[in-house]
Amino acid sequence: MLYAEIVLPLAQPTYTFAIPEGMSLAEGDAVAVQFGAKNYYTGIVWSITDRRPDVKRLKSVVSRLYSHPLLCREQMRFWEWVASYYLCTLGEVMRIALPSLIKPKAGSIEEFSDELFSPRQEHCLQLSERWCDETLLREEISRIERRAPRRAALLGDMLALLTRGERVVPRYQLPYDAPLLLTMRRVGYLESLYRPRRYGSFHDCPFILPTPSVAQQRVIDDIRSSQQAGVTTHLLRGITGSGKTEIYMQFIADVVARGGDVLFLLPEIALTSQLIERLERVFGERVTAYHSKLSPQRRTETFLRLSQSEGGEIVVGARSAIFLPLKHLRLVVVDEEHDQSYKQSDTAPRYNGRDLAVVLASLVGGNALLGSATPSLESYYNTLSGKYAYSELLERYGDAVPPRVVISDTKRALKRGERRGHFNLELKQAISAALERGEQVMLFQNRRGYSPSLQCGDCGWSLRCPSCNVTLTLHRSSQRMECHYCGHTEAVPTACPSCKAPLSMMGFGTEKAEDAVRELFPEHKVLRLDSDTSTSERAYRDIVGEFERGEADILVGTQMITKGFDFGRLSLVGVLNADNLMLNPDFRASERAFQLLTQVAGRAGRRERQGEVYIQTAERDNPVILWVESGDYVAMARHELAERQTWGYPPYSRLLRLTLKYSDSQTLRSAAATLAKRLREHFGGRVFGPVEPYVNRIRGEWIVQILLKVEITSSVARAKQLLLSRLEELASIAEWKKINVTVDVDPQ
């Protein structure tokens, strides 16, 4: 009899089940098993043996799911690497790797079914019956081309299809905006229809790629040379607007022409739709989106289809796409590789999508291409040590020139009486000038809400969250005070409950900045883009689309406005308060402030006119501000790397952060102190803490952290083993068993 080691979507080790006579199973197969008295789970067969485990009672596999394995051997090796490196179980990897519909928890076996998805429906457009006559259509184009040139152009494209014997075209192949297409349907030129999306073999299809500039071609040649030399990871530092995407396309075309798969990772879900439109114009139906905002049905359909694909796929997605079953993966592109969004911090495994991309490419014998205008210092260090190849692209594509950066001194403006509200006079004048020229303005403030807190000027009282040790933020649009950690809300207090004095608003967020802009420029339309206004992907796209079409003049937003946008009329970017970016108690604060300010500056003037960037700061001589002003990434990197080497921070060490949470603060502190003491027996001065973080209570639980620093020359694997043994000792003490302990490897 045969037995299967099976991974279940639980924070548990693998479990052994008997394989019934006549059932054929292979490694990587999905199966239904009963676990416990009442529950059935999907499991993944990890290994098969003929040795019975030493247990009295052994359950059998109930049924095999699907006609093919869900995972190939390379993917199983990848899961094992993730579990080992990030100190979690294979079951925890399974929980985040598979779509929810593939891993149901059911009360009966009848709830399991292979019919978990239907083919994806594709939005298409076709000419209405009346306009399928070529002669009539030509006459209509001639009649409307002077008064409605865009309608005529669209009908011309449909005429070209009609002459080739085609009538239906996928929506993504028409480079026209949604309002025009809606109008064309309403007046009767076009009709919508939906059909199953067609997939097939793409190996021999030709691609019409954009012609690279001389600088781009030099980078392309460099990357090809490094790949031929056997260097699997290449870092491309290309300034904003330099055309990194066009370079990516060259290598994507190389891979899919040979039948390989490509994974293209982006830090934000919202950016995928813009990139997909660009890629689909070149690569057509090969392009597939995958991220958490898609419906469970759509994610399941994509996963199962890719597990049977014969290659030639291009998947664009956020960090979770790293776990898709691309059996012919040959290239992983990581755009904006420095971005913090690649780090999964909430649940195990707490992985970094960028780092996993490099590992996965190595495991499958492919290549990883990392790109950013401001690479992470860890990646840049890897180029200095020879681990990664490196190229630079330091000129903008076409005729665009880098923006002019102006540092606006807030302290000086206050002394001279040249500051009104949140605007220095020179920024206000620059906004007025840009609007008079018919250009657009983007304003960045790194806090949402109206005011971060309300405070009594007499006694210092402020309204705090009852479950978290933070002040509540005023949101004027909802007239509520809100906790940004647990979501608790309260009514806005009218006065201080202690002394009845009036309350003052402390600081400002995007909502207050939006009101200030409306007051200064009442004749211009203002939009706000933050997590309060973009509550869905559709809401996000509506705001971005409205600004992109020129229907609004000013866009106010948080970090969401700093990434990936290319607005033709945007000539001015203003940073309202750069100081709060540089005051974080984090060894990465300077690096991240430089990255964020450089990224937001790069949104300005991406056409023939030079853009302007105004950065308001009270620290005019701060090194970060000077580096941003000169655009000197290398100077920033050298300075920060030297400091980190002195103090032993990454990339010269590896960090492991232990976070302990419990409802009773005294018990928690006692347990943390004991754990730190025992860790010091092995690691000595490499153990820091326990300390309370800035926000030391969330959702009713107190928080304490311990940091373990391991030199890059030491064995991280050995350090992890010792750490796990000490954590097991802590869990064995009865009074501390309920303390929640998480380990974050390479915390960000």
Side-chain angles (χ1 to χ4, degrees):
M1 192 169 188
L2 296 178
Y3 305 90
E5 287 288 319
I6 292 178
V7 175
L8 301 176
L10 305 168
Q12 300 286 337
T14 59
Y15 286 89
T16 304
F17 290 81
I19 302 176
E21 292 293 335
M23 181 182 291
S24 177
L25 289 181
E27 292 180 355
D29 272 336
V31 293
V33 296
Q34 184 180 12
F35 187 76
K38 299 179 180 180
N39 294 322
Y40 290 83
Y41 289 91
T42 297
I44 300 293
V45 177
W46 213 254
S47 64
I48 296 175
T49 180
D50 58 0
R51 296 181 61 184
R52 178 186 170 89
D54 187 18
V55 293
K56 291 182 179 179
R57 189 161 172 253
L58 199 64
K59 291 182 179 180
S60 296
V61 174
V62 178
S63 65
R64 182 190 183 203
L65 303 175
Y66 315 112
S67 59
H68 61 282
L70 284 190
L71 303 182
C72 63
R73 186 57 205 157
E74 287 78 13
Q75 290 162 312
M76 295 173 70
R77 288 171 55 208
F78 180 55
W79 282 26
E80 289 170 346
W81 190 94
V82 172
S84 172
Y85 187 83
Y86 289 104
L87 300 180
C88 66
T89 65
L90 284 169
E92 289 172 304
V93 178
M94 180 181 175
R95 281 200 303 209
I96 64 164
L98 299 186
S100 58
L101 293 182
I102 291 181
K103 52 180 195 298
K105 175 183 176 182
S108 67
I109 190 60
E110 286 74 21
E111 296 180 48
F112 283 79
S113 172
D114 286 2
E115 302 299 323
L116 290 174
F117 74 97
S118 56
R120 176 182 168 189
Q121 296 293 301
E122 179 177 55
H123 183 198
C124 298
L125 294 163
Q126 66 179 2
L127 284 166
S128 300
E129 193 67 37
R130 177 189 176 191
W131 300 109
C132 288
D133 183 300
E134 287 188 35
T135 302
L136 188 62
L137 185 57
R138 291 181 195 277
E139 291 175 356
E140 181 67 8
I141 292 171
S142 299
R143 187 181 71 83
I144 68 171
E145 61 183 348
R146 297 192 66 177
R147 63 181 177 84
R150 295 178 71 232
R151 293 190 190 186
L154 175 51
L155 290 179
D157 289 345
M158 299 303 291
L159 175 62
L161 283 172
L162 197 61
T163 57
R164 297 200 303 266
E166 301 176 35
R167 182 180 164 190
V168 179
V169 59
R171 162 67 182 93
Y172 68 80
Q173 291 184 5
L174 291 173
Y176 300 96
D177 56 36
L180 175 62
L181 296 176
L182 180 63
T183 300
M184 297 293 277
R185 295 198 301 272
R186 190 172 62 243
V187 300
Y189 288 121
L190 300 178
E191 296 175 349
S192 279
L193 72 154
Y194 290 84
R195 67 183 184 190
R197 186 161 188 174
R198 294 176 294 183
Y199 300 97
S201 177
F202 314 120
H203 302 184
D204 301 320
C205 298
F207 311 122
I208 301 175
L209 296 166
T211 302
S213 66
V214 174
Q216 287 175 324
Q217 187 60 53
R218 184 173 62 250
V219 171
I220 292 168
D221 294 340
D222 285 348
I223 297 174
R224 285 189 174 136
S225 296
S226 70
Q227 290 177 348
Q228 291 167 3
V231 182
T232 59
T233 305
H234 199 111
L235 175 65
L236 168 59
R237 179 168 78 91
I239 64 171
T240 52
S242 59
K244 293 187 289 295
T245 303
E246 285 74 14
I247 291 176
Y248 301 151
M249 286 182 182
Q250 299 286 333
F251 293 94
I252 292 171
D254 290 347
V255 169
V256 297
R258 297 193 299 268
D261 296 328
V262 176
L263 177 60
F264 197 130
L265 295 181
L266 292 167
E268 295 286 350
I269 293 171
L271 300 178
T272 57
S273 59
Q274 303 168 33
L275 179 65
I276 283 172
E277 288 180 7
R278 295 179 66 182
L279 293 178
E280 282 181 334
R281 294 187 197 118
V282 176
F283 301 106
E285 295 176 345
R286 299 167 186 78
V287 183
T288 301
Y290 190 86
H291 50 72
S292 60
K293 292 295 184 183
L294 298 175
S295 67
Q297 195 88 0
R298 174 87 169 271
R299 285 164 60 86
T300 300
E301 180 263 320
T302 299
F303 193 98
L304 294 177
R305 183 184 66 77
L306 292 176
S307 68
Q308 302 176 75
S309 171
E310 294 303 316
E313 305 280 355
I314 303 170
V315 177
V316 179
R319 62 176 183 246
S320 61
I322 196 75
F323 294 103
L324 284 172
L326 293 167
K327 295 186 293 185
H328 307 276
L329 185 63
R330 296 295 177 268
L331 175 66
V332 185
V333 178
V334 186
D335 197 25
E336 307 296 353
E337 65 86 31
H338 69 278
D339 200 286
Q340 287 176 256
S341 299
Y342 283 119
K343 175 69 174 178
Q344 160 73 22
S345 300
D346 299 332
T347 58
R350 293 170 174 80
Y351 67 93
N352 189 309
R354 174 203 64 213
D355 297 342
L356 289 193
V358 174
V359 172
L360 180 58
S362 176
L363 285 174
V364 300
N367 293 293
L369 180 53
L370 316 181
S372 174
T374 54
S376 65
L377 291 187
E378 286 84 355
S379 293
Y380 185 66
Y381 172 80
N382 283 334
T383 69
L384 299 178
S385 63
K387 186 177 180 180
Y388 296 173
Y390 179 66
S391 295
E392 293 180 333
L393 188 59
L394 303 181
E395 59 185 61
R396 285 193 162 186
Y397 185 74
D399 299 324
V401 293
R404 181 174 72 96
V405 179
V406 178
I407 307 303
S408 183
D409 192 328
T410 301
K411 289 192 291 188
R412 181 181 178 187
L414 283 169
K415 288 179 181 178
R416 295 186 172 191
E418 296 178 349
R419 184 169 173 84
R420 179 180 173 185
H422 310 299
F423 296 87
N424 295 349
L425 178 62
E426 53 188 336
L427 175 56
K428 180 177 176 296
Q429 291 175 338
I431 295 173
S432 298
L435 295 175
E436 288 174 6
R437 295 192 300 266
E439 296 165 353
Q440 291 176 304
V441 176
M442 180 184 283
L443 299 174
F444 169 67
Q445 170 60 12
N446 199 35
R447 281 180 178 167
R448 65 185 176 99
Y450 194 83
S451 176
S453 66
L454 294 179
Q455 191 172 57
C456 176
D458 290 352
C459 69
W461 176 89
S462 60
L463 182 60
R464 306 185 75 82
C465 176
S467 301
C468 310
N469 195 12
V470 292
T471 57
L472 298 183
T473 298
L474 171 63
H475 287 253
R476 203 157 83 168
S477 58
S478 61
Q479 283 299 303
R480 302 288 291 176
M481 303 295 293
E482 180 180 325
C483 175
H484 288 176
Y485 286 86
C486 71
H488 170 81
T489 64
E490 291 186 19
V492 181
T494 56
C496 175
S498 299
C499 64
K500 309 305 178 186
L503 300 173
S504 301
M505 289 183 288
M506 309 300 292
F508 71 102
T510 49
E511 198 176 0
K512 191 173 183 180
E514 179 189 17
D515 279 1
V517 174
R518 292 184 193 279
E519 183 181 336
L520 288 173
F521 306 100
E523 68 279 14
H524 293 278
K525 185 170 183 179
V526 182
L527 296 175
R528 173 164 54 93
L529 184 63
D530 55 27
S531 57
D532 293 325
T533 59
S534 58
T535 52
S536 67
E537 187 177 4
R538 180 171 182 176
Y540 176 95
R541 296 184 67 175
D542 287 346
I543 296 170
V544 172
E546 192 173 351
F547 193 70
E548 191 170 26
R549 293 189 298 270
E551 297 168 10
D553 304 307
I554 303 171
L555 178 64
V556 180
T558 55
Q559 291 189 33
M560 297 178 74
I561 69 173
T562 69
K563 302 169 185 177
F565 293 123
D566 185 2
F567 300 120
R569 286 178 48 213
L570 178 63
S571 66
L572 175 65
V573 169
V575 178
L576 300 183
N577 181 14
D579 300 326
N580 65 356
L581 300 174
M582 300 178 288
L583 299 177
N584 293 327
D586 188 318
F587 71 92
R588 290 190 175 95
S590 294
E591 176 193 5
R592 287 180 174 157
F594 176 87
Q595 289 168 339
L596 192 54
L597 291 172
T598 302
Q599 291 287 336
V600 72
R603 302 307 113 207
R606 293 167 70 95
R607 297 294 187 271
E608 62 279 355
R609 176 181 173 79
Q610 184 181 27
E612 294 180 318
V613 181
Y614 281 76
I615 300 176
Q616 294 187 159
T617 176
E619 296 189 54
R620 176 65 182 84
D621 297 323
N622 188 296
V624 174
I625 297 297
L626 299 178
W627 292 326
V628 173
E629 184 178 24
S630 61
D632 198 341
Y633 169 84
V634 174
M636 182 279 296
R638 288 175 175 169
H639 179 275
E640 291 300 302
L641 285 174
E643 284 216 337
R644 294 190 192 181
Q645 186 173 26
T646 300
W647 299 105
Y649 280 108
Y652 301 98
S653 68
R654 290 284 174 83
L655 299 182
L656 293 91
R657 184 173 63 205
L658 283 68
T659 301
L660 291 77
K661 297 180 182 179
Y662 195 53
S663 55
D664 183 81
S665 61
Q666 186 173 353
T667 301
L668 178 68
R669 292 189 182 100
S670 175
T674 300
L675 176 60
K677 180 180 178 181
R678 294 186 179 181
L679 288 174
R680 287 192 178 94
E681 294 172 2
H682 294 290
F683 300 105
R686 300 177 184 87
V687 179
F688 299 85
V691 297
E692 294 184 356
Y694 177 72
V695 179
N696 64 351
R697 185 170 175 257
I698 296 177
R699 296 182 179 90
E701 288 191 315
W702 295 92
I703 305 171
V704 172
Q705 293 180 335
I706 299 171
L707 191 68
L708 177 60
K709 191 186 295 184
V710 183
E711 294 86 350
I712 202 70
T713 54
S714 301
S715 171
V716 178
R718 175 61 178 157
K720 291 176 181 176
Q721 289 177 352
L722 293 171
L723 172 61
L724 290 176
S725 67
R726 289 295 176 252
L727 291 179
E728 288 174 3
E729 290 176 6
L730 182 74
S732 67
I733 300 174
E735 60 183 308
W736 294 340
K737 276 187 176 181
K738 293 184 179 180
I739 293 176
N740 180 20
V741 183
T742 61
V743 182
D744 191 354
V745 180
D746 302 332
Q748 296 291 306

